[in-house]
Amino acid sequence: MSQERRYSFEFFPTKTEAGHDKLISVARQLATYNPDFFSCTYGAGGSTRDRTLNTVLQLENEVKIPAAPHLSCVGDTKAELRALIGEYKDAGIKRIVALRGDLPSGMGMASGELRHASDLVQFIREETGDHFHIEVAAYPEMHPQAQNFESDLKNFATKVKAGADSAITQYFFNPDSYFYFVERVQKLGVDIPLVPGIMPITNYSKLARFSDACGAELPRWVRKQLEAYGDDAASIQAFGEEVITRMCEQLLQGGAPGLHFYTLNQAEPSLAIWNNLQLPR
Protein backbone atom coordinates (compact mmCIF):
# COMPACT_ATOMS: atom_id res chain seq x y z
CA MET A 1 0.00 0.00 0.00
CA SER A 2 1.24 3.47 -0.79
CA GLN A 3 0.09 5.34 2.31
CA GLU A 4 2.49 5.79 5.19
CA ARG A 5 0.54 3.61 7.59
CA ARG A 6 0.58 -0.14 7.17
CA TYR A 7 -2.10 -2.70 7.88
CA SER A 8 -1.61 -6.44 8.22
CA PHE A 9 -3.33 -9.65 9.29
CA GLU A 10 -2.02 -12.63 11.24
CA PHE A 11 -2.90 -16.32 10.87
CA PHE A 12 -1.92 -19.50 12.66
CA PRO A 13 -1.12 -22.73 10.74
CA THR A 14 -3.83 -25.36 11.13
CA LYS A 15 -3.56 -29.05 11.91
CA THR A 16 -6.20 -30.28 9.45
CA GLU A 17 -6.72 -29.97 5.71
CA ALA A 18 -10.19 -28.52 6.26
CA GLY A 19 -8.76 -25.90 8.61
CA HIS A 20 -6.08 -25.02 6.09
CA ASP A 21 -8.61 -24.67 3.29
CA LYS A 22 -10.61 -22.28 5.50
CA LEU A 23 -7.47 -20.28 6.29
CA ILE A 24 -6.70 -19.81 2.58
CA SER A 25 -10.33 -18.86 1.91
CA VAL A 26 -10.20 -16.25 4.68
CA ALA A 27 -6.88 -14.99 3.33
CA ARG A 28 -8.36 -14.53 -0.14
CA GLN A 29 -11.21 -12.50 1.38
CA LEU A 30 -8.79 -10.33 3.37
CA ALA A 31 -6.57 -9.92 0.31
CA THR A 32 -9.32 -7.90 -1.38
CA TYR A 33 -8.60 -5.19 1.23
CA ASN A 34 -5.01 -4.92 -0.04
CA PRO A 35 -3.13 -5.32 3.26
CA ASP A 36 0.60 -4.73 3.35
CA PHE A 37 1.31 -8.30 4.42
CA PHE A 38 0.07 -11.44 6.13
CA SER A 39 2.00 -13.07 8.97
CA CYS A 40 1.87 -16.69 10.08
CA THR A 41 2.74 -17.92 13.56
CA TYR A 42 5.25 -20.58 14.54
CA GLY A 43 4.46 -23.15 17.23
CA ALA A 44 6.39 -23.57 20.47
CA GLY A 45 9.84 -24.99 19.82
CA GLY A 46 9.24 -24.90 16.07
CA SER A 47 6.44 -27.45 16.37
CA THR A 48 4.63 -26.05 13.31
CA ARG A 49 7.76 -25.42 11.23
CA ASP A 50 6.62 -27.23 8.08
CA ARG A 51 3.01 -26.03 8.34
CA THR A 52 4.18 -22.44 8.79
CA LEU A 53 6.52 -22.75 5.80
CA ASN A 54 3.84 -24.25 3.56
CA THR A 55 1.22 -21.70 4.63
CA VAL A 56 3.56 -18.76 4.05
CA LEU A 57 4.54 -19.99 0.59
CA GLN A 58 0.90 -20.48 -0.38
CA LEU A 59 -0.08 -17.02 0.88
CA GLU A 60 2.80 -15.47 -1.03
CA ASN A 61 2.48 -17.40 -4.28
CA GLU A 62 -1.25 -18.13 -4.61
CA VAL A 63 -3.06 -15.44 -2.61
CA LYS A 64 -0.51 -12.91 -3.89
CA ILE A 65 -0.05 -10.96 -0.66
CA PRO A 66 3.47 -10.65 0.84
CA ALA A 67 3.78 -13.14 3.67
CA ALA A 68 5.93 -12.96 6.80
CA PRO A 69 6.71 -16.17 8.70
CA HIS A 70 7.21 -16.05 12.43
CA LEU A 71 10.56 -17.55 13.36
CA SER A 72 11.64 -18.43 16.89
CA CYS A 73 15.10 -19.46 18.05
CA VAL A 74 14.43 -21.37 21.27
CA GLY A 75 15.02 -25.08 20.75
CA ASP A 76 16.64 -24.75 17.31
CA THR A 77 20.30 -24.96 16.35
CA LYS A 78 22.00 -22.34 14.20
CA ALA A 79 22.22 -24.90 11.40
CA GLU A 80 18.45 -25.49 11.51
CA LEU A 81 17.74 -21.78 11.56
CA ARG A 82 20.22 -21.13 8.77
CA ALA A 83 18.54 -23.75 6.57
CA LEU A 84 15.05 -22.38 7.21
CA ILE A 85 16.08 -18.76 6.69
CA GLY A 86 17.79 -19.81 3.46
CA GLU A 87 14.64 -21.57 2.30
CA TYR A 88 12.58 -18.44 2.89
CA LYS A 89 15.15 -16.28 1.11
CA ASP A 90 15.28 -18.61 -1.89
CA ALA A 91 11.46 -18.55 -2.05
CA GLY A 92 11.48 -14.77 -2.32
CA ILE A 93 10.11 -14.06 1.16
CA LYS A 94 11.13 -10.55 2.20
CA ARG A 95 9.85 -10.20 5.77
CA ILE A 96 10.37 -12.25 8.95
CA VAL A 97 8.86 -11.86 12.42
CA ALA A 98 11.80 -12.76 14.71
CA LEU A 99 10.89 -14.05 18.18
CA ARG A 100 12.52 -15.82 21.07
CA GLY A 101 9.60 -18.23 21.16
CA ASP A 102 8.26 -20.61 23.78
CA LEU A 103 9.38 -24.13 24.54
CA PRO A 104 6.81 -26.91 24.34
CA SER A 105 5.63 -27.95 27.80
CA GLY A 106 7.95 -30.44 29.46
CA MET A 107 11.16 -29.27 27.77
CA GLY A 108 12.39 -27.46 30.87
CA MET A 109 14.97 -24.71 30.55
CA ALA A 110 15.53 -22.85 27.31
CA SER A 111 17.58 -24.75 24.79
CA GLY A 112 19.18 -23.94 21.46
CA GLU A 113 22.23 -21.92 20.52
CA LEU A 114 20.36 -18.60 20.45
CA ARG A 115 18.60 -17.71 23.70
CA HIS A 116 17.07 -14.30 22.96
CA ALA A 117 15.19 -12.61 20.15
CA SER A 118 18.03 -10.08 19.89
CA ASP A 119 20.39 -13.00 19.16
CA LEU A 120 18.06 -14.19 16.40
CA VAL A 121 17.79 -10.72 14.85
CA GLN A 122 21.58 -10.41 14.82
CA PHE A 123 21.92 -13.92 13.35
CA ILE A 124 19.49 -13.15 10.50
CA ARG A 125 21.39 -9.97 9.73
CA GLU A 126 24.73 -11.79 9.73
CA GLU A 127 23.37 -14.52 7.45
CA THR A 128 21.33 -12.47 4.99
CA GLY A 129 22.33 -8.81 5.33
CA ASP A 130 19.41 -6.51 4.51
CA HIS A 131 17.41 -9.06 2.52
CA PHE A 132 14.68 -9.35 5.16
CA HIS A 133 12.54 -6.68 6.76
CA ILE A 134 12.70 -7.92 10.36
CA GLU A 135 9.73 -7.48 12.66
CA VAL A 136 10.08 -8.04 16.41
CA ALA A 137 7.56 -8.27 19.23
CA ALA A 138 6.82 -5.46 21.69
CA TYR A 139 4.96 -5.70 25.01
CA PRO A 140 3.30 -2.42 26.08
CA GLU A 141 2.14 -4.06 29.32
CA MET A 142 5.45 -5.90 29.87
CA HIS A 143 6.47 -9.37 28.77
CA PRO A 144 4.88 -11.86 31.21
CA GLN A 145 8.30 -13.36 32.02
CA ALA A 146 10.18 -10.06 32.41
CA GLN A 147 11.72 -9.22 35.78
CA ASN A 148 10.30 -5.71 35.70
CA PHE A 149 9.18 -3.01 33.31
CA GLU A 150 12.54 -1.23 33.19
CA SER A 151 14.48 -4.34 32.23
CA ASP A 152 11.84 -5.22 29.64
CA LEU A 153 12.20 -1.80 28.01
CA LYS A 154 15.99 -2.20 27.86
CA ASN A 155 15.68 -5.70 26.41
CA PHE A 156 13.37 -4.35 23.71
CA ALA A 157 15.84 -1.58 22.86
CA THR A 158 18.63 -4.18 22.60
CA LYS A 159 16.49 -6.23 20.22
CA VAL A 160 15.85 -3.20 18.03
CA LYS A 161 19.52 -2.18 17.96
CA ALA A 162 20.43 -5.70 16.85
CA GLY A 163 18.81 -4.88 13.51
CA ALA A 164 15.00 -4.82 13.70
CA ASP A 165 13.13 -2.68 11.17
CA SER A 166 9.77 -2.45 12.96
CA ALA A 167 7.79 -4.03 15.78
CA ILE A 168 4.33 -5.48 16.33
CA THR A 169 2.90 -5.27 19.83
CA GLN A 170 1.15 -7.86 21.89
CA TYR A 171 -2.54 -7.00 21.88
CA PHE A 172 -3.86 -4.70 24.60
CA PHE A 173 -7.06 -2.87 25.46
CA ASN A 174 -5.65 0.29 27.04
CA PRO A 175 -4.30 2.79 24.47
CA ASP A 176 -2.43 4.66 27.20
CA SER A 177 -0.22 1.61 27.77
CA TYR A 178 0.81 1.74 24.11
CA PHE A 179 1.53 5.48 24.07
CA TYR A 180 3.50 5.24 27.32
CA PHE A 181 5.55 2.34 25.95
CA VAL A 182 6.31 4.29 22.75
CA GLU A 183 7.38 7.32 24.76
CA ARG A 184 9.67 5.28 27.02
CA VAL A 185 11.46 3.33 24.29
CA GLN A 186 11.94 6.45 22.17
CA LYS A 187 13.91 7.88 25.10
CA LEU A 188 16.12 4.78 24.83
CA GLY A 189 16.89 5.58 21.20
CA VAL A 190 14.24 3.41 19.50
CA ASP A 191 12.97 5.08 16.34
CA ILE A 192 11.39 2.22 14.37
CA PRO A 193 7.61 1.96 13.73
CA LEU A 194 5.77 0.27 16.63
CA VAL A 195 2.55 -1.12 15.19
CA PRO A 196 -0.26 -1.97 17.65
CA GLY A 197 -1.48 -5.56 17.62
CA ILE A 198 -5.29 -5.66 17.59
CA MET A 199 -7.36 -8.55 18.96
CA PRO A 200 -11.06 -8.46 18.01
CA ILE A 201 -13.41 -9.48 20.83
CA THR A 202 -15.67 -12.37 19.83
CA ASN A 203 -15.66 -14.85 22.72
CA TYR A 204 -15.35 -13.84 26.36
CA SER A 205 -14.13 -17.07 27.98
CA LYS A 206 -11.42 -17.69 25.39
CA LEU A 207 -10.31 -14.06 25.48
CA ALA A 208 -10.11 -13.99 29.29
CA ARG A 209 -8.11 -17.23 29.39
CA PHE A 210 -5.72 -16.14 26.64
CA SER A 211 -5.27 -12.65 28.11
CA ASP A 212 -4.41 -14.05 31.53
CA ALA A 213 -1.84 -16.38 29.96
CA CYS A 214 -0.06 -13.75 27.86
CA GLY A 215 -0.20 -10.86 30.30
CA ALA A 216 -2.65 -8.67 28.38
CA GLU A 217 -4.87 -6.79 30.81
CA LEU A 218 -8.59 -7.05 30.11
CA PRO A 219 -10.08 -3.94 31.79
CA ARG A 220 -12.56 -4.68 34.56
CA TRP A 221 -15.36 -2.70 32.92
CA VAL A 222 -14.93 -4.69 29.69
CA ARG A 223 -14.72 -7.99 31.57
CA LYS A 224 -17.85 -7.25 33.60
CA GLN A 225 -19.86 -6.19 30.56
CA LEU A 226 -18.85 -9.31 28.67
CA GLU A 227 -19.74 -11.46 31.69
CA ALA A 228 -23.16 -9.80 31.80
CA TYR A 229 -23.91 -10.89 28.24
CA GLY A 230 -23.46 -14.56 29.17
CA ASP A 231 -24.00 -16.72 26.08
CA ASP A 232 -25.44 -13.88 23.98
CA ALA A 233 -22.89 -14.11 21.17
CA ALA A 234 -24.45 -11.30 19.12
CA SER A 235 -24.24 -8.81 22.00
CA ILE A 236 -20.65 -9.85 22.80
CA GLN A 237 -19.65 -9.33 19.19
CA ALA A 238 -21.41 -5.96 18.89
CA PHE A 239 -19.93 -4.68 22.15
CA GLY A 240 -16.48 -6.00 21.27
CA GLU A 241 -16.59 -4.39 17.85
CA GLU A 242 -17.49 -1.03 19.38
CA VAL A 243 -14.76 -1.21 22.05
CA ILE A 244 -12.00 -2.19 19.62
CA THR A 245 -13.09 0.31 16.97
CA ARG A 246 -12.94 3.16 19.50
CA MET A 247 -9.54 2.00 20.69
CA CYS A 248 -8.19 1.87 17.14
CA GLU A 249 -9.51 5.37 16.49
CA GLN A 250 -7.57 6.61 19.53
CA LEU A 251 -4.43 4.81 18.41
CA LEU A 252 -4.51 6.17 14.88
CA GLN A 253 -5.39 9.69 16.02
CA GLY A 254 -2.47 9.48 18.46
CA GLY A 255 -0.02 8.67 15.68
CA ALA A 256 0.16 4.85 15.57
CA PRO A 257 1.87 3.82 12.30
CA GLY A 258 -0.77 1.24 11.40
CA LEU A 259 -2.61 -1.78 12.80
CA HIS A 260 -1.86 -5.51 12.88
CA PHE A 261 -4.97 -7.67 13.29
CA TYR A 262 -4.84 -11.02 15.11
CA THR A 263 -7.49 -12.73 13.00
CA LEU A 264 -7.58 -16.17 14.68
CA ASN A 265 -8.19 -17.33 11.09
CA GLN A 266 -11.47 -15.43 10.81
CA ALA A 267 -12.20 -12.57 8.43
CA GLU A 268 -15.39 -10.89 9.67
CA PRO A 269 -14.33 -9.55 13.12
CA SER A 270 -11.23 -7.79 11.75
CA LEU A 271 -12.99 -6.52 8.64
CA ALA A 272 -15.84 -5.07 10.72
CA ILE A 273 -13.29 -2.92 12.55
CA TRP A 274 -11.49 -2.07 9.30
CA ASN A 275 -14.76 -0.92 7.72
CA ASN A 276 -15.81 1.05 10.80
CA LEU A 277 -12.49 2.91 10.66
CA GLN A 278 -12.89 3.44 6.91
CA LEU A 279 -9.34 2.34 6.34
CA PRO A 280 -7.99 2.56 2.76
CA ARG A 281 -8.23 -0.39 0.39
Side-chain angles (χ1 to χ4, degrees), residues 85-214:
I85 292 167
E87 199 162 356
Y88 283 129
K89 183 179 179 182
D90 291 343
I93 300 299
K94 295 288 190 179
R95 187 185 299 260
I96 282 180
V97 182
L99 310 165
R100 186 199 70 178
D102 300 316
L103 280 171
S105 58
M107 283 188 70
M109 296 297 290
S111 63
E113 295 178 69
L114 305 177
R115 297 296 182 91
H116 305 286
S118 56
D119 299 329
L120 178 58
V121 172
Q122 183 176 345
F123 180 73
I124 295 171
R125 285 286 177 239
E126 290 172 349
E127 292 292 318
T128 63
D130 292 331
H131 175 82
F132 291 106
H133 180 111
I134 301 179
E135 303 274 359
V136 291
Y139 296 85
E141 296 174 314
M142 196 178 83
H143 190 286
Q145 295 174 351
Q147 289 183 329
N148 55 59
F149 194 54
E150 297 301 320
S151 66
D152 200 35
L153 292 170
K154 291 176 182 177
N155 288 338
F156 177 73
T158 298
K159 186 163 52 176
V160 171
K161 290 169 184 175
D165 294 293
S166 54
I168 299 168
T169 78
Q170 173 63 276
Y171 73 86
F172 54 87
F173 300 106
N174 180 357
D176 286 340
S177 67
Y178 167 80
F179 291 122
Y180 183 68
F181 178 83
V182 171
E183 179 183 327
R184 291 298 305 277
V185 297
Q186 285 178 343
K187 290 178 179 177
L188 294 176
V190 172
D191 61 357
I192 65 171
L194 306 176
V195 177
I198 305 301
M199 177 68 79
I201 298 175
T202 58
N203 179 296
Y204 169 61
S205 59
K206 288 182 180 178
L207 180 67
R209 186 168 61 249
F210 192 40
S211 298
D212 290 342
C214 69

